[in-house]
Amino acid sequence: MQFDRSAVMQVLSDVRELGLVSEVERSEILSVFTPEFPYAAMLRHTDSVHAHIKVDDVDALPHLRLKELGYRPENAEPGYIKYTTDAAIHLIFSSIPIAQDDNLPGAVVLSKPFMDHVGIDMRDEAAPTFVAFENVPARAAELGWREVPQGDSGPVHCCHTQVKSKHWVYPPEGWQGWRRPIEFAFGTLVIFDKKMGCDLRPLDPGHRLAEKGSPCCGTAVASPDTASAR
């Protein structure tokens, strides 16, 4: 997909002015849309990009202002909301555990709000997209990044949504221009009426507490009959 860089810049400037991302985070997200992005080849098969931002209280966000800017709230649940934009750079805010780090005392050292990760949404299930998705581990190894897959034994859930599979990559210490995990999510986004459980973002394998992580924050309570695909 071809992204409108000026439109992306405007969205990121807006959320920066609202104090929801730092200048460093704004620059990092913007770098995704440059030829120098380490995974630029995968971006050609991407439908959208999202930034997942951890906050103290989702209810306390400037929702009115975000709506005035034209951002559309979706998938709202207690402690979680997604805002979509016409620039195909979407914003997810959460105050619930979405990463293994969140359940490990001492693992999270950043002050909120902070960007937990950037997501590369590879929704098209055609063969070229799948090949690009499956090339992520090799590209990570080539770069010296760490990688963790999700979805080998079934779909990956995040609260009330589902995709087929994910690759998570983590930059090595000292990598210039990027500090946070990157999520590559493959497959149609399926949205359920109820919470399906949550396959937490894996802890960086290089983290000192990596072996103590837990994979899920809940159990499925809905069936595929209640789902819609996007």
Side-chain angles (χ1 to χ4, degrees):
M1 176 178 176
Q2 293 293 323
F3 290 87
D4 183 338
R5 183 176 170 82
S6 62
V8 171
M9 290 179 65
Q10 184 60 58
V11 171
L12 296 178
S13 294
D14 291 340
V15 293
R16 174 72 183 100
E17 289 179 5
L18 291 172
L20 299 175
V21 297
S22 69
E23 178 57 29
V24 170
E25 291 166 341
R26 187 197 71 83
S27 297
E28 286 180 337
I29 300 167
L30 190 59
S31 74
V32 171
F33 305 94
T34 67
E36 293 75 29
F37 180 54
Y39 300 89
M42 289 71 188
L43 208 68
R44 292 196 290 269
H45 302 275
T46 299
D47 295 86
S48 60
V49 172
H50 70 263
H52 194 130
I53 301 161
K54 296 290 294 181
V55 297
D56 285 315
D57 184 358
V58 166
D59 291 339
L61 287 167
H63 294 286
L64 179 59
R65 180 56 181 149
L66 289 167
K67 293 175 185 177
E68 289 175 345
L69 289 167
Y71 307 157
R72 299 173 294 276
E74 292 185 357
N75 306 342
E77 292 287 335
Y80 180 100
I81 193 168
K82 177 180 180 180
Y83 278 94
T84 61
T85 79
D86 291 335
I89 171 72
H90 305 319
L91 308 167
I92 297 175
F93 301 96
S94 69
S95 54
I96 58 173
I98 55 90
Q100 290 182 356
D101 315 36
D102 296 329
N103 291 334
L104 293 175
V108 179
V109 297
L110 298 174
S111 299
K112 298 175 182 176
F114 70 86
M115 183 177 71
D116 182 84
H117 65 270
V118 163
I120 309 298
D121 306 318
M122 306 176 77
R123 305 295 188 215
D124 179 16
E125 296 185 11
T129 303
F130 182 69
V131 169
F133 172 75
E134 287 296 273
N135 282 339
V136 169
R139 178 59 174 158
E142 178 184 353
L143 294 167
W145 290 42
R146 296 174 288 273
E147 184 269 339
V148 178
Q150 283 183 318
D152 288 344
S153 59
V156 183
H157 296 106
C158 181
C159 296
H160 55 293
T161 65
Q162 169 187 297
V163 295
K164 284 193 171 181
S165 187
K166 293 184 179 182
H167 288 301
W168 293 90
V169 296
Y170 307 80
E173 292 72 13
W175 184 275
Q176 295 298 312
W178 200 269
R179 305 162 302 123
R180 303 301 299 161
I182 300 175
E183 168 198 17
F184 293 87
F186 173 76
T188 300
L189 181 67
V190 180
I191 301 174
F192 295 88
D193 292 336
K194 297 180 181 180
K195 186 174 180 179
M196 293 295 292
C198 183
D199 294 300
L200 299 175
R201 172 181 63 71
L203 190 63
D204 181 348
H207 196 285
R208 59 185 176 82
L209 299 176
E211 294 184 358
K212 298 183 179 181
S214 60
C216 192
C217 65
T219 56
V221 297
S223 69
D225 294 338
T226 63
S228 62
R230 294 186 182 178

